[in-house]
Amino acid sequence: MAHQIQTIGIIGSGQMGSGIAHVCSLAGFDVLVNDVSEDRIKSSLATISGNMARQAASEKITESDRNAALDRIAAAPDMDALAGCDLVIESATEEEAVKREIFANLKPIVKPSAILASNTSSLSITRLAAETTSPEHFIGIHFMNPVPVMELVEVIRGIATNQATFDSAREFVARLGKTIVVAEDFPGFIVNRILLPMINEAIYTLHEGVGTVDAIDTAMRLGAHHPMGPLQLADFIGLDTCLSIMQVLYEGLADSKYRPCPLLVKYVEAGWLGRKAGRGFYDYSGETPIPTR
Ligand SMILES: NC(=O)c1ccc[n+]([C@@H]2O[C@H](COP(=O)([O-])OP(=O)(O)OC[C@H]3O[C@@H](n4cnc5c(N)ncnc54)[C@H](O)[C@@H]3O)[C@@H](O)[C@H]2O)c1
């Protein structure tokens, strides 16, 4: 039997955690937002409020939907506050050690029936589940960015995930009005197994001087009808996240075709993480983004 879900905890209130909290609260769930940084929680709540105001202004939701949804979201700087959650979605930095520690810390806090999920873009659901007391209640629920706009959610079972957990995840995604695609537990699942090598190749194209940032993005927008160029998309995803995913593909699939481009590595080492850092393949300090190469 599927589990009843009403209260959702979200760990990691960056761009994805904020988006997940946004759609969950609008769908009527009670949401608790946790992060290691209280400032990130504060700015996450401000972002959600601003994004919902924009939705209300364009009449996608009403002002009373917005107020009711905002009332359902609360800050939870202390992880202990997640004790009553029916579902906890981890959406912290894409590093296995970070996520493992979060699940290890959650173990004594959450109730035994709670479902634990990761929004990881690439990491093994089975390995993360092994960090918990009930791997049968663990599942991958992978949202797309920006969460309020994108229709798809990938759902990934670990080897131990049971049917009730899968059914609950499916019902949860349906309540959000999103479309589910089921992927097997392989590095990068479906979307990022295909998307990230394309982005990595665009960075190699830049690295080898085949084209400028503007030429590469324009080529793919107008030549392949992509809604945004691959370098713009990389900045949007976050270059640290892109690099982590490429490393997971490279190591997990043991094939040199997934080798992260050295230029991507350098950008991350420089702290040029894309839009969230104000600089990546574009400089975001002015009114319009300026290509940096
Ligand atoms: N960016 C994307 O396009 C995208 C799309 C789908 C999934 N994801 C996945 O979502 C997750 C988050 O990505 P993001 O883009 O929101 O990153 P982000 O850098 O915007 O946010 C990460 C947040 O995690 C917090 N954090 C780090 N360690 C923590 C801990 N121990 N406990 C609690 N919070 C912690 C950070 O303070 C930060 O606020 C990653 O697993 C990523 O792969 C990202």
Side-chain angles (χ1 to χ4, degrees):
M1 227 179 71
H3 305 247
Q4 283 297 324
I5 296 175
Q6 183 50 41
T7 305
I8 298 175
I10 294 172
I11 300 181
S13 61
Q15 47 182 353
M16 292 305 291
S18 304
I20 297 167
H22 178 133
V23 298
C24 289
S25 65
L26 269 182
F29 295 103
D30 298 316
V31 179
L32 292 165
V33 179
N34 170 271
D35 199 287
V36 269
S37 150
E38 286 207 50
D39 283 348
R40 294 299 290 260
I41 300 179
K42 270 196 204 122
S43 66
S44 168
L45 299 184
T47 302
I48 295 168
S49 172
N51 287 345
M52 284 186 188
R54 260 202 304 280
Q55 283 182 306
S58 59
E59 296 183 356
K60 290 197 175 79
I61 60 173
T62 65
E63 200 49 51
S64 82
D65 291 338
R66 171 175 178 247
N67 291 334
L70 291 175
D71 280 348
R72 283 190 287 268
I73 308 181
D78 186 349
M79 212 188 244
D80 288 340
L82 307 186
C85 288
D86 308 304
L87 166 66
V88 177
I89 304 174
E90 169 279 315
S91 188
T93 311
E94 185 74 353
E95 278 176 35
E96 186 158 338
V98 169
K99 293 184 187 289
R100 277 176 175 268
E101 195 186 339
I102 287 173
F103 288 116
N105 291 340
L106 259 183
K107 240 191 244 184
I109 296 173
V110 287
K111 54 188 185 187
S113 62
I115 294 178
L116 301 186
S118 178
N119 180 43
T120 177
S121 299
S122 60
L123 294 164
S124 163
I125 298 304
T126 298
R127 272 206 308 275
L128 293 178
E131 204 61 66
T132 70
T133 27
S134 309
E136 65 277 16
H137 292 159
F138 195 96
I139 195 155
I141 304 182
H142 179 217
F143 290 85
M144 307 294 135
N145 186 16
V147 184
V149 176
M150 301 296 276
E151 302 91 342
L152 186 78
V153 174
E154 272 182 305
V155 173
I156 308 105
R157 291 186 185 91
I159 198 165
T161 308
N162 68 18
Q163 190 61 36
T165 300
F166 177 78
D167 291 343
S168 304
R170 190 174 23 208
E171 274 174 31
F172 163 65
V173 171
R175 263 186 77 183
L176 300 179
K178 308 269 185 209
T179 300
I180 186 178
V181 158
V182 179
E184 291 301 318
D185 191 14
F186 274 75
F189 318 125
I190 295 174
V191 172
N192 287 325
R193 171 80 176 264
I194 299 169
L195 182 64
L196 260 295
M198 190 272 292
I199 288 175
N200 195 47
E201 200 59 32
I203 303 170
Y204 268 114
T205 310
L206 178 69
H207 184 49
E208 290 168 11
V210 183
T212 61
V213 167
D214 186 47
I216 292 165
D217 276 353
T218 303
M220 293 306 284
R221 271 192 295 104
L222 303 186
H225 243 252
H226 288 197
M228 63 168 81
L231 300 172
Q232 192 190 356
L233 179 57
D235 273 2
F236 187 63
I237 293 170
L239 300 189
D240 52 340
T241 302
C242 290
L243 177 58
S244 297
I245 297 170
M246 285 313 299
Q247 280 161 339
V248 169
L249 292 176
Y250 185 50
E251 284 157 26
L253 299 165
D255 190 329
S256 62
K257 74 179 178 183
Y258 299 110
R259 187 169 72 103
C261 177
L263 187 63
L264 173 61
V265 176
K266 260 197 198 147
Y267 268 54
V268 173
E269 286 170 349
W272 297 344
L273 305 183
R275 224 176 48 150
K276 65 185 172 187
R279 187 191 168 112
F281 294 111
Y282 292 82
D283 180 337
Y284 298 90
S285 54
E287 266 193 8
T288 49
I290 309 287
T292 53
R293 275 171 185 259

